[in-house]
Amino acid sequence: MDSPIPININGYDTYYVEAKDDIGKHFLIYIPPNADKDISDICGTFINGHLIQQIDYQKVDEKVSFIKAYY
């Protein structure tokens, strides 16, 4: 896995890595503990030059911890 890349999403300092699954290529964005639901409001925005078209979530230990931002 690549090293996490720092980013600011809707005012929250976080990080992401590039990933791919059955749906397609996406950014896996860590959701910091202090983040509100507005961190997920990224459809239609550009991240690292890619238009985010769809989001999903990934759980770790029964808790939503990552946004899957598909481009």
Side-chain angles (χ1 to χ4, degrees):
M1 180 180 275
D2 295 333
S3 296
I5 300 167
I7 192 168
N8 186 289
I9 301 287
N10 293 336
Y12 301 101
D13 291 326
T14 186
Y15 58 87
Y16 72 94
V17 294
E18 293 191 47
K20 184 177 180 181
D21 62 13
D22 293 342
I23 296 172
K25 293 182 180 181
H26 60 277
F27 296 118
L28 196 59
I29 303 168
Y30 174 69
I31 302 173
N34 67 326
D36 290 327
K37 292 181 180 184
D38 64 338
I39 192 171
S40 298
D41 189 19
I42 56 175
C43 283
T45 64
F46 284 89
I47 296 177
N48 197 25
H50 297 283
L51 177 63
I52 304 305
Q53 299 176 4
Q54 174 183 338
I55 66 163
D56 197 359
Y57 300 94
Q58 182 170 325
K59 289 184 178 184
V60 176
D61 297 329
E62 304 293 322
K63 181 181 171 191
V64 173
S65 299
F66 295 90
I67 297 169
K68 296 168 91 175
Y70 293 93
Y71 52 89

